Amino acid sequence: MKTLRLTDTTLRDGSHAMRHQFTRQQVRSIAQALDRAGVPVIEVTHGDGLGGASLQYGFSHTPELELIAEARSVCERARIAALLLPGIGTRKELKAAAERGVQVIRIATQCTEADISEQHFGLTKELGLEAVGFLMMAHMRPPEVLAEQARLMESYGADCVYIVDSAGALLPDGAYARVKALKEALTIQVGFHAHNNLGLAIGNTLAALEAGVDQIDGSLRGLGAGAGNAATEVIAAVLDKMGQNPGLNVFALMDAAEYIVAPIAPYQPLPDRDALTIGYAGVYSTFLLHARRAGELYHLDPRSILVELGRRQAVAGQEDWILDVALDLARRSQDKPVPQT
């Protein structure tokens, strides 16, 4: 039986929930606990990846390169990974991360924009690092389109390509079909990254496993954007009960989640009304605040704005659509005939 690989993203995706305020000591404690529990890969960066600390995405409490170095210094077995979104992170940040000890670069693009990642994969391989591709917002395109995009990443040098359910919008059959399509199209490994907006992070991860996935992601306590991620400690327990534990210490991960992450987490991610709306609409959680403001301006339920944005397949960088959508919805509501009594 092949060995499934888990990457823990507490120190990257969890950065969103922490408002990017992780301290050196927190990173050391979490990374050391994950390493001792047998987690093979630990991702450490700003929530929006290398170079993400900015006015637009939120400033970090501690520079991410220092956090990467702290994590690397306490890990005896685990490899350190970093996320890079072309256009936010550049070749400069990629090289700097490698100098601080990063061994895996995860290069993320919108699921139809793999072609913008070629130079980043090239540099990653030049530096002798493992290269992983991320196809974000994968619910927005059918499996065959994702397979085409994944083949591009493979041609650029990717060692693995992930289906990424950025909005937590996939159902298990959709997760299965997308992973299966990549498994049939590629000669490299396939990964799956889940979010829990519809309460299906673990279910979708199991569906990906059924489809033959090679790599999966989790975060302690589910700490992450929106309703959070598939919880690492839950994944470990479920895999163990299935007889497919790849070497994770279930009790140690439970303890890390309970005694290290829970005390510092500002809240417990869950599918509350806002997070559920994001998953139901299939849009980025960053749209939520803008939709609320537009809703107040035009006297609309912000959920209707988000659902319409999802119907139009809006992605990150298209926040300017929100006011246009709100205005369209407001005009439609005014044009409705008044019922006669």
Side-chain angles (χ1 to χ4, degrees):
M1 184 176 69
K2 71 177 182 181
T3 301
L4 183 70
R5 189 173 90 170
L6 170 72
T7 295
D8 184 272
T9 71
T10 308
L11 297 173
R12 197 283 301 171
D13 217 327
S15 181
H16 289 295
M18 293 290 293
R19 297 180 183 271
H20 317 297
Q21 298 303 295
F22 277 122
T23 66
R24 292 179 180 85
Q25 184 55 51
Q26 288 168 348
V27 167
R28 288 174 64 88
S29 297
I30 293 170
Q32 188 172 60
L34 291 168
D35 181 62
R36 290 176 175 175
V39 173
V41 183
I42 302 169
E43 189 178 48
V44 186
T45 33
H46 184 279
D48 294 285
L50 294 170
S54 62
L55 181 62
Q56 290 85 353
Y57 299 106
F59 290 107
S60 299
H61 177 278
T62 304
E64 62 187 5
L65 295 178
E66 295 181 21
L67 298 183
I68 288 169
E70 292 287 354
R72 184 65 193 276
S73 72
V74 299
C75 289
E76 297 179 1
R77 295 176 296 175
R79 308 180 79 199
I80 303 301
L83 184 75
L84 183 143
L85 280 69
I88 296 177
T90 68
R91 292 167 59 93
K92 176 184 176 182
E93 284 82 23
L94 199 162
K95 289 179 180 178
E99 291 170 357
R100 293 298 183 106
V102 159
Q103 297 143 296
V104 182
I105 297 292
R106 311 212 303 174
I107 301 166
T109 74
Q110 292 298 324
C111 64
T112 57
E113 297 178 355
D115 58 328
I116 70 172
S117 65
E118 182 174 7
Q119 63 172 311
H120 304 88
F121 278 108
L123 178 58
T124 299
K125 302 308 290 185
E126 285 176 24
L127 294 171
L129 307 177
E130 181 181 344
V132 175
F134 259 40
L135 294 174
M136 300 188 296
M137 300 295 280
H139 73 282
M140 297 180 69
R141 290 294 183 272
E144 59 271 19
V145 173
L146 298 174
E148 293 173 2
Q149 294 293 307
R151 278 192 288 263
L152 284 178
M153 287 185 165
E154 182 179 28
S155 73
Y156 302 153
D159 299 297
C160 174
V161 178
Y162 266 70
I163 293 294
V164 181
D165 187 16
S166 311
L170 283 175
L171 303 180
D173 60 344
Y176 178 93
R178 285 160 173 78
V179 169
K180 191 70 171 177
L182 265 61
K183 288 293 296 181
E184 293 173 351
L186 307 179
T187 61
I188 57 175
Q189 291 195 342
V190 176
F192 183 73
H193 177 98
H195 277 265
N196 201 40
N197 295 65
L198 293 177
L200 291 170
I202 295 294
N204 284 341
T205 299
L206 292 179
L209 185 65
E210 182 69 20
V213 80
D214 304 285
Q215 299 185 29
I216 57 175
D217 286 4
S219 67
L220 291 170
R221 203 79 175 185
L223 202 65
N229 300 58
T232 295
E233 66 276 15
V234 177
I235 290 174
V238 171
L239 290 175
D240 195 66
K241 287 179 71 68
M242 294 172 62
Q244 298 186 41
N245 188 339
L248 303 169
N249 186 321
V250 177
F251 285 0
L253 289 169
M254 288 180 182
D255 290 345
E258 189 74 15
Y259 300 121
I260 300 176
V261 173
I264 65 173
Y267 60 90
Q268 174 61 53
L270 53 84
D272 60 12
R273 191 179 79 152
D274 289 342
L276 179 57
T277 300
I278 294 299
Y280 179 70
V283 296
Y284 271 113
S285 57
T286 52
F287 283 18
L288 183 60
L289 179 59
H290 300 292
R292 282 177 176 161
R293 291 172 176 167
E296 291 177 2
L297 182 63
Y298 291 104
H299 306 291
L300 296 168
D301 187 330
R303 290 174 293 184
S304 65
I305 300 173
L306 292 168
V307 167
E308 179 63 17
L309 286 164
R311 190 189 69 78
R312 298 187 188 189
Q313 299 191 328
V315 298
Q318 294 176 327
E319 286 81 0
D320 57 319
W321 284 18
I322 294 175
L323 281 177
D324 290 339
V325 166
L327 183 57
D328 286 347
L329 292 176
R331 286 171 175 165
R332 287 183 209 168
S333 66
Q334 291 173 356
D335 292 340
K336 287 182 180 178
V338 178
Q340 299 296 316
T341 58

